[in-house]
Amino acid sequence: MAPVSIRRSDGDSVTLDGSAVESLKADLRGSLLLPGEDGYEKSRTVWNAMIDRRPALVVHCAGVNDIKQAVDFARTHGLLTSVKGGGHNIAGSAVCDGGLLIDLSGMRSVRIDPGAHVAHVEPGATLGDFDAEAQAFGLATPLGINSTTGVAGLVLGGGFGWFSRKHGMTIDNLLAVDVITADGRFVRANGRENADLFWALRGGGGNFGIVTRFEFQLHPLGPGVLTGLVVYPLKEAASALKQYRQFAKEQSDETTVWAVLRKAPPLPFLPPEVHGTEVIVFALFHAGDTEAGRKAVEPVRHFGKALGEFIGVQPYRSWQQAFDPLLTPGARNYWKSHNFADLSDGAIETTIKYVGNLPSPHCEIFFGQIGGATMRPAADSAAYPHRNAMYVCNVHGRWDTPAEDRKGMEWARGFFRDTAPHATGGVYVNFLTDDESDRVKAAYGPNFHRLAEIKKKYDPQNLFRINQNIRPAV
Ligand SMILES: Cc1cc2nc3c(=O)[nH]c(=O)nc-3n(C[C@H](O)[C@H](O)[C@H](O)COP(=O)(O)OP(=O)(O)OC[C@H]3O[C@@H](n4cnc5c(N)ncnc54)[C@H](O)[C@@H]3O)c2cc1C
């Protein structure tokens, strides 16, 4: 094999002897990919098309041994290294330029223990993979709203979804992990063994090692769940959002309602003249008895004069895929995110102003309601600290061409700046873009210093640095 020029983590490049690369290849059950080889483009491509990075070498892993070999190789040669799960992170932290990419996306097994209500999940599994297997037994755990998202990155940042109000953040349902640490050791972590590592991994992202297996608590759910959408015109959004914030204070943990402001997609229950106009959509989910659910969501139908609605029982798996068509990979995406404890009048006014001026028809601002069980653990019970957040707000800038970047990014930043006085100051680490490393402290709040100490213990050389990086304590 020809020598390979590759970036080191100290910024220099090194030329690896062909025999060293050949020897790594021989140790793998999966494949070693160089630029131009079959599979290389797929490995380096992530959800956000604004990210266009070219690693010098890809290890496409087939199992734990491949991960260990890749970590040992990266450490031995001091390589700039990134780790890819589902490749959905907005910051593109799954992939690095010029270094080594450890691609886990081929490891997608999900094994359910229906008696124990436990899921064993490999690190390349998507939410869709997880839901398919768990729902075969009428089980689920809180995961996100887009089925092609990776389980690994989602849970390592915290994770929330449609029934987090009932069962907490995804990390609150994580029972144990297997990890390959930076020194190449295989380590099991849970509440008893390596408890500091387990604490750090529940929100601390990819900073502490590569998780090779996740073990989750499952809960009975579905298969049919009450879900729906109620759509109002933008001119009614101020009144609707004020009623929504009151409703949010009174509803039970079984009900979750998100508010999404955007141009109306061509939903079949909306008249054609509404398509493409600015609207507020309330997305409803009830994680309990469906008749009780209908009563619980009834007030949402009377926030104003709806342009259209669709409320009914549908398979949980279908609802978990309902937003996929709006979130397909390949578009250019730029996000800005805040947590809110409540929606002030000022936040509502500012949101409506910005939705009246969307830079592209695909952009939206949403308030993802969490609260409920996500608020009950103490802020220092895991690395994820935002137990005061009732809403995770994301301004989701999305467009097709580089020519639209500047306008869209300015719009998102403007919204972020103008709503900051109304927000908690905290941010969900998984919604940070690659130009927001200055917000990592805000993502971890009071837990930041403990995380830096644990980083020093498990990754003192900062091998795992292509992420929202927590540097080892000095
Ligand atoms: C369309 C869309 C919808 C979303 N909706 C939600 C939502 O509803 N709720 C929510 O909580 N989040 C949501 N997210 C955010 C999501 O949680 C993050 O993007 C998350 O990082 C995705 O995980 P991934 O494995 O696909 O990412 P990747 O880009 O592959 O990885 C993300 C980070 O995790 C690290 N990593 C990945 N796998 C491992 C591993 N096994 N061990 C150690 N480190 C690893 C990577 O190095 C990288 O730094 C959404 C994202 C998108 C794009």
Side-chain angles (χ1 to χ4, degrees):
M1 186 176 279
V4 173
S5 172
I6 189 164
R7 268 180 76 192
R8 291 170 48 93
S9 56
D10 61 11
D12 290 343
S13 284
V14 61
T15 301
L16 298 174
D17 191 70
S19 62
V21 182
E22 195 64 63
S23 153
L24 171 63
K25 188 175 182 175
D27 284 336
L28 300 177
R29 196 154 63 84
S31 35
L32 187 82
L33 304 171
L34 293 162
E37 292 188 342
D38 267 3
Y40 172 85
E41 286 300 319
K42 190 166 179 227
S43 279
R44 80 171 190 92
T45 302
V46 292
W47 179 80
N48 183 4
M50 280 178 96
I51 309 294
D52 181 17
R53 300 187 189 135
R54 300 186 156 272
L57 209 54
V58 175
V59 174
H60 187 74
C61 299
V64 176
N65 172 59
D66 290 355
I67 299 174
K68 183 175 160 29
Q69 297 298 337
V71 168
D72 287 344
F73 190 80
R75 187 188 60 256
T76 306
H77 297 284
L79 303 182
L80 185 70
T81 303
S82 70
V83 179
K84 181 180 181 188
H88 259 51
N89 195 275
I90 184 70
S93 51
V95 60
C96 60
D97 241 342
L100 170 70
L101 165 59
I102 303 178
D103 182 1
L104 313 173
S105 64
M107 296 174 62
R108 290 174 61 168
S109 148
V110 177
R111 184 171 62 78
I112 305 298
D113 180 339
H117 286 195
V118 168
H120 302 266
V121 181
E122 280 197 320
T126 63
L127 308 195
D129 297 333
F130 190 126
D131 286 335
E133 295 300 328
Q135 279 289 283
F137 302 96
L139 297 169
T141 214
L143 298 170
I145 62 143
N146 172 223
S147 73
T148 56
T149 308
V151 173
L154 180 129
V155 62
L156 289 171
F160 63 88
W162 290 112
F163 70 124
S164 284
R165 288 174 53 74
K166 185 168 181 183
H167 289 298
M169 303 288 296
T170 312
I171 46 164
D172 300 330
N173 296 279
L174 186 65
L175 300 172
V177 285
D178 295 339
V179 188
I180 299 288
T181 51
D183 56 6
R185 278 184 304 137
F186 175 87
V187 170
R188 177 140 234 259
N190 55 37
R192 296 174 311 282
E193 296 165 86
N194 300 301
D196 56 349
L197 179 60
F198 189 57
W199 180 89
L201 286 167
R202 285 181 297 140
N207 276 287
F208 304 95
I210 302 186
V211 178
T212 62
R213 187 186 64 95
F214 298 89
E215 197 176 307
F216 290 97
Q217 181 70 60
L218 298 170
H219 311 276
L221 185 76
V225 282
L226 186 85
T227 60
L229 303 173
V230 184
V231 183
Y232 295 103
L234 190 64
K235 66 177 186 318
E236 296 198 25
S239 162
L241 280 170
K242 286 173 189 170
Q243 293 174 73
Y244 168 60
R245 80 179 165 203
Q246 188 55 36
F247 171 82
K249 288 175 186 145
E250 292 159 6
Q251 75 196 72
S252 87
D253 292 352
E254 298 210 305
T255 306
T256 299
V257 180
W258 285 29
V260 186
L261 296 99
R262 56 170 296 124
K263 285 187 190 284
L267 295 165
F269 61 83
L270 289 177
E273 62 274 18
V274 170
H275 300 169
T277 64
E278 288 86 8
V279 293
I280 179 163
V281 182
F282 291 99
L284 324 165
F285 180 89
H286 187 78
D289 173 74
T290 54
E291 281 318 304
R294 280 185 205 280
K295 286 200 192 93
V297 301
E298 185 65 14
V300 181
R301 302 180 59 226
H302 305 287
F303 286 168
K305 189 169 173 345
L307 293 166
E309 65 170 43
F310 175 82
I311 299 177
V313 176
Q314 65 169 311
Y316 173 67
R317 274 182 74 193
S318 304
W319 180 248
Q320 285 287 83
Q321 296 166 29
F323 298 89
D324 289 3
L326 296 177
L327 298 168
T328 48
R332 301 177 75 78
N333 295 271
Y334 185 78
W335 293 357
K336 279 295 212 183
S337 176
H338 286 301
N339 286 340
F340 287 86
D342 199 357
L343 298 179
S344 66
D345 288 355
I348 290 173
E349 273 164 36
T350 309
T351 304
I352 291 166
K353 184 180 116 193
Y354 275 85
V355 176
N357 188 27
L358 295 169
S360 114
H362 313 299
C363 294
E364 65 182 27
I365 297 173
F366 73 73
F367 294 91
Q369 189 194 16
I370 49 173
T374 70
M375 287 177 138
R376 284 183 202 120
D380 64 356
S381 62
Y384 170 89
H386 307 294
R387 302 304 184 164
N388 61 344
M390 185 65 160
Y391 305 95
V392 181
C393 169
N394 196 13
V395 51
H396 181 180
R398 183 174 163 94
W399 47 86
D400 295 321
T401 63
E404 297 166 271
D405 286 357
R406 189 191 225 209
K407 188 174 164 207
M409 288 163 79
E410 276 172 10
W411 172 79
R413 287 174 182 155
F415 172 82
F416 171 77
R417 184 191 57 232
D418 293 351
T419 47
H422 308 281
T424 64
V427 61
Y428 178 38
V429 72
N430 274 347
F431 285 176
L432 290 177
T433 48
D434 66 341
D435 58 0
E436 294 193 302
S437 53
D438 56 333
R439 296 184 77 202
V440 174
K441 276 195 175 160
Y444 294 114
N447 293 338
F448 183 80
H449 294 291
R450 185 170 172 200
L451 284 165
E453 291 294 340
I454 298 172
K455 176 79 171 174
K456 183 172 149 190
K457 177 173 171 190
Y458 287 97
D459 185 16
Q461 302 304 321
N462 204 4
L463 177 68
F464 302 112
R465 65 177 64 201
I466 307 291
N467 43 43
Q468 297 300 347
N469 196 226
I470 298 163
R471 291 196 189 89
V474 282

